[in-house]
Amino acid sequence: MTSSLNNSPETTHAKHAPARPLVLVADDHEDTRLLFRTVLEIRGYCVIEAADGVETVRTAERARPDLILMDGSLPRMSGLDATRQIRESTDVSNVPIVFISGHAGTAFVALAREAGCDEYLVKPFELDELEHVLEKYCANNARTVAR
């Protein structure tokens, strides 16, 4: 008995659809992670979280997010060290990293850039600054997932 497989564009499209961009929020403060999750999910993003630097690196390597929002002051491994480690990983080295910190000094911004961050937001920041970063790095990163 033979069976025919229908691989027409219509069938393929029905099986695969673009998913929302995945953002990893790395922050040791649960309330900050909740705030980011709320803002991002309202805007249509999927969110995963990490509470320390070690967990951030492991989660990034496992989940391969489209964007990482990295707090500078993480326990177990600093945001700078986590950024460096992610940049050294072949699987996720190209994932954009937005460093988020209360340090506004040019020396600390330079350290974050040297570690490999793509953008730097100083806390507190305006919501439109975050939206600009999301548009810049996630606008064309819709994932395709099987249904």
Side-chain angles (χ1 to χ4, degrees), residues 82-95:
T83 297
R84 286 185 195 100
Q85 240 187 334
I86 289 167
R87 289 294 176 239
E88 293 170 2
S89 172
T90 56
D91 292 337
V92 291
S93 63
N94 292 327
V95 174

Side-chain angles (χ1 to χ4, degrees), residues 60-125:
E61 289 173 342
R62 185 186 75 247
R64 298 182 184 182
D66 296 302
L67 178 68
I68 299 170
L69 300 179
M70 179 79 72
D71 181 43
S73 302
L74 295 172
R76 294 181 58 199
M77 178 189 298
S78 73
L80 290 172
D81 289 337
T83 297
R84 286 185 195 100
Q85 240 187 334
I86 289 167
R87 289 294 176 239
E88 293 170 2
S89 172
T90 56
D91 292 337
V92 291
S93 63
N94 292 327
V95 174
I97 299 174
V98 178
F99 211 80
I100 300 174
S101 176
H103 300 286
T106 56
F108 197 81
V109 174
L111 285 173
R113 293 279 187 189
E114 287 171 17
C117 76
D118 298 283
E119 296 281 340
Y120 193 101
L121 294 179
V122 177
K123 294 179 191 175
F125 52 84

